[in-house]
Amino acid sequence: MCVSFMLQRVLQPLTRLFRGILSFSMRRWVTSIINRVLLYEPLSLKMSTDVPQNHKMRQKMVVGLGNPGMSGTRHSVGMAALAALAGRLGVAELWRGDRQVSGEVVLSELGETRLVLLRPRLLMNINGVSVAKAAAKFHIQPEDIYLLHDELDKPLGKVSMKQGGSARGHNGVRSCVECLKTDVMPRVRIGISRPAGKVSVERYVLGRFTREEQEVLREVLEQSVELLLRHIIDSGTDTALQHTKVPPGGRAAEKT
């Protein structure tokens, strides 16, 4: 009886661990299948030809990763940063739904660069579908797609730029990597800290920022926008822009 009890004590946590690994693997497999199914559409062949190109302008896309309808949550802080960027560029009221890309889009211009701002309407785990469709429609290469997203391994108040690399466990970034078939996309990583105590990561990231955190968040979003715009400017060839301060407003591009 004692031996049986000891075996049970040992096997129970191993069984739970096995189930957790299996469940995690199954979720990733199912998500990968959904990404591929949603991305495969006859319309995708037309998307690369229905938007006029201005070959004199560089094009870059900025994507706010998050869950639609869940603004104010930690996992959707990338969308909050995108909204702050739209406000900075003076195009916050110009969002329009685009069924071809399964998201909302607004166009703006910064110097000699046309910016495509994308807010996916798909859930975080499959929003790479929206990113890949928009990249095809607007003729934008993966290395010119900026992903704005939350980062558990950074404390709230810290923001950094990451030049490509692995998804580091972020499901939204993983979806983008799978759908674009590359991991070269630069990312603005916005720290949200890890949960304290026994709060699960899933519950924590889907929760809303506290009042105290919201005070910090305002400055964080400004820093994120400044970092992003500076990187876009410095990555260009317009030397006149490289030595000027990023303007508080932008210029709306013509609708397509």
Side-chain angles (χ1 to χ4, degrees):
M1 189 70 172
C2 184
V3 174
S4 176
F5 177 75
M6 290 298 294
L7 284 174
Q8 186 178 355
R9 289 285 299 272
V10 172
L11 291 176
Q12 277 184 343
L14 290 177
T15 302
R16 286 196 297 267
L17 177 61
F18 176 75
R19 287 175 178 172
I21 293 173
L22 180 62
S23 177
F24 177 74
S25 300
M26 286 295 293
R27 286 200 301 268
R28 286 192 58 178
W29 180 78
V30 171
T31 299
S32 180
I33 295 297
I34 293 174
N35 280 332
R36 294 177 185 179
V37 170
L38 291 179
L39 195 56
Y40 181 74
E41 293 183 4
L43 282 175
S44 63
L45 298 176
K46 296 174 57 180
M47 286 181 189
S48 61
T49 60
D50 64 358
V51 176
Q53 296 186 71
N54 183 345
H55 295 287
K56 294 182 180 180
M57 298 192 73
R58 295 177 293 120
Q59 290 198 118
K60 294 183 182 292
M61 182 160 67
V62 184
V63 185
L65 301 186
N67 286 305
M70 297 187 68
S71 60
T73 62
R74 297 180 180 90
H75 214 23
S76 294
V77 73
M79 285 186 168
L82 185 69
L85 173 63
R88 177 73 173 270
L89 296 174
V91 295
E93 303 301 322
L94 300 181
W95 290 99
R96 61 181 178 83
D98 189 328
R99 295 179 63 183
Q100 282 189 327
V101 305
S102 303
E104 295 173 286
V105 175
V106 64
L107 308 182
S108 184
E109 293 176 5
L110 181 67
E112 296 301 316
T113 301
R114 181 169 84 155
L115 296 180
V116 178
L117 276 56
L118 172 66
R119 187 161 56 194
R121 282 180 174 171
L122 301 175
L123 294 176
M124 176 72 87
N125 291 16
I126 56 174
N127 59 23
V129 173
S130 180
V131 177
K133 287 181 176 181
K137 176 173 181 175
F138 293 101
H139 316 280
I140 299 175
Q141 298 301 312
E143 59 268 23
D144 292 321
I145 300 175
Y146 291 84
L147 306 179
L148 312 181
H149 66 87
D150 57 300
E151 179 58 60
L152 280 167
D153 292 327
K154 285 190 173 298
L156 181 66
K158 297 294 183 180
V159 181
S160 69
M161 178 73 69
K162 184 175 187 288
Q163 192 65 44
S166 70
R168 296 173 62 91
H170 194 286
N171 291 328
V173 176
R174 181 182 292 112
S175 177
C176 292
V177 170
E178 288 183 355
C179 294
L180 292 169
K181 295 178 171 51
T182 180
D183 64 358
V184 300
M185 296 77 70
R187 300 146 210 184
V188 176
R189 303 160 65 202
I190 305 169
I192 61 171
S193 304
R194 282 193 172 273
K198 297 182 179 180
V199 179
S200 68
V201 169
E202 183 175 359
R203 180 179 177 184
Y204 175 76
V205 298
L206 294 180
R208 294 183 174 276
F209 288 102
T210 65
R211 288 188 178 181
E212 293 77 10
E213 289 174 333
Q214 289 174 8
E215 292 298 323
V216 178
L217 188 62
R218 292 190 183 94
E219 185 174 349
V220 170
L221 296 180
E222 291 179 6
Q223 292 174 354
S224 302
V225 170
E226 190 69 34
L227 177 63
L228 172 66
L229 291 178
R230 180 54 58 191
H231 193 277
I232 291 173
I233 289 174
D234 289 345
S235 66
T237 58
D238 192 331
T239 56
L241 265 177
Q242 289 179 7
H243 297 288
T244 60
K245 182 175 176 60
V246 179
R251 179 160 54 97
E254 294 182 2
K255 291 185 177 181
T256 60

